[in-house]
Amino acid sequence: MVYISFNAFLFLPTPRAPARTHDRSPPMTSASPRPAAAPPTALTTRRVVSFGAGNFSAQLMLQTFATLAVFYYVDTLGADPRLIAIAMAVHGVFNALLNPLFGYLSDRTKSRWGRRIPWIMFGAVPLAAAFTLVWIPFATTPVGLFWNFLVIVLIYDILFVLVVLNYGSLFPEMFRSTQERARGSAWRQLFAIVGLILGVALGPVLYGALGWAGMGIVLGALVLLGFVIALSGSVERAQDIPEPIGFGRALRATLTNRVFLVYVSASFLIQLAIALMQAAMPFFTKYVIGDTDPGAVSLILGTMFVVAIPMVYVWSAFIRRFGSKPAILATVAIFILGLAPFLLLSGMPAAIGTAALVGVAIAGVLVLLDILLAEIIDIDAERVGQRREGMYLGVNGFIVRWSVTVQAVAFGLILPWSGYNQAAPVQPESVAVGVRALMSGLPIAALAIAFVILLAYPHRRPTAVTPETLAEVAGTRED
């Protein structure tokens, strides 16, 4: 599962409207007159860097869970892979349903701290605790492990969506102009890649040295630290917006945006490919390469994301020159080329070299998925007269989260079909075939379909969305 909230560089014409911060007066209804704007809060370097740290926490949790959760419960604890597949499917459905509901709730929230900050403020500690408990099970039997996994993951889901969705929605509100977004995104991307690297590479090192519980405690503490730092740099800018539209109308407006449907379909397939690749990597190193050292997973996946660090800036320059559509098509094509060798290779040096090429594509995904979504959110603001970051991130999360269900079903079907038996001391050679299919075959198929879908994405940039435009559209709706 890669519910990617990789918030990337956004090069869109955005007005330099005066920024306003929320004061500490009592909440007002949309019909109440808004007081005079407070002086703008400067986006200092300290504030920008601090805010970016939240992306570290989000990606650390996402990548650790995606890479190690199934492997830990199935291969280490001996849980039934079919039961864990059911739990992961429930997890995916539950999380998907939460996203649009919490996104809508976020857009309607009114408090003296703003719409987004309260959810981050009061949810960070419980979220870090729930993430830690994923790695400290209280059961030992296959059925007990299933229920343990299911309950704690559902609690983790609720808290993750509340905190991370609001954190992602806050970014477009804090950073308005092209210069602000480019500056803020640069730091967010840096923290995201660090979180990615640690999520896929540090976990195996930590559980090898400290055990799985020790790993969970260390990573949980890092998650909390990142969100605390992010809160110290967060600020919301007050907005004069009309009364929020109802949930049904908001959902219809989102799902009838044709460009959004193109985007979210392709995004689902791209993230499914990444989810399959990540979850299959521990099985690939153990049963295809034959290396049981946990550090082998860290070496291959770490290579991908170390390469991605400089390539983020290369993709940013590419987008400035050629636009987002050529860039996303090139990213998907490179991703397919990078995954293809995993169908045949069987040695560690070849795997590391191939991982470097995949890292080039990962950087493109990091940069581009949020650029495309941000373009779509700006277009939608022109249609409905208000910015609805929460709803768009929520609906996007709802659809993308089904990739977790598909991933779980794929593992639940292909591993047993290949002859995999977690209790067997030696696996049959047919297991390698199934693992290669999960690692490379299915992801390539998903990416090929995504490439075709993205051909329909418009090769243009939206016009600037000014406050005057939003007011005009809102007035038209009221009439």
Side-chain angles (χ1 to χ4, degrees), residues 5-16:
S5 58
F6 306 145
N7 293 283
F9 294 94
L10 180 57
F11 301 106
L12 300 176
T14 308
R16 292 180 175 275

Side-chain angles (χ1 to χ4, degrees), residues 134-156:
V134 170
W135 314 104
I136 308 177
F138 299 101
T140 56
T141 66
V143 174
L145 287 169
F146 163 74
W147 287 108
N148 185 109
F149 183 75
L150 179 62
V151 171
I152 192 61
V153 166
L154 293 184
I155 295 172
Y156 163 71

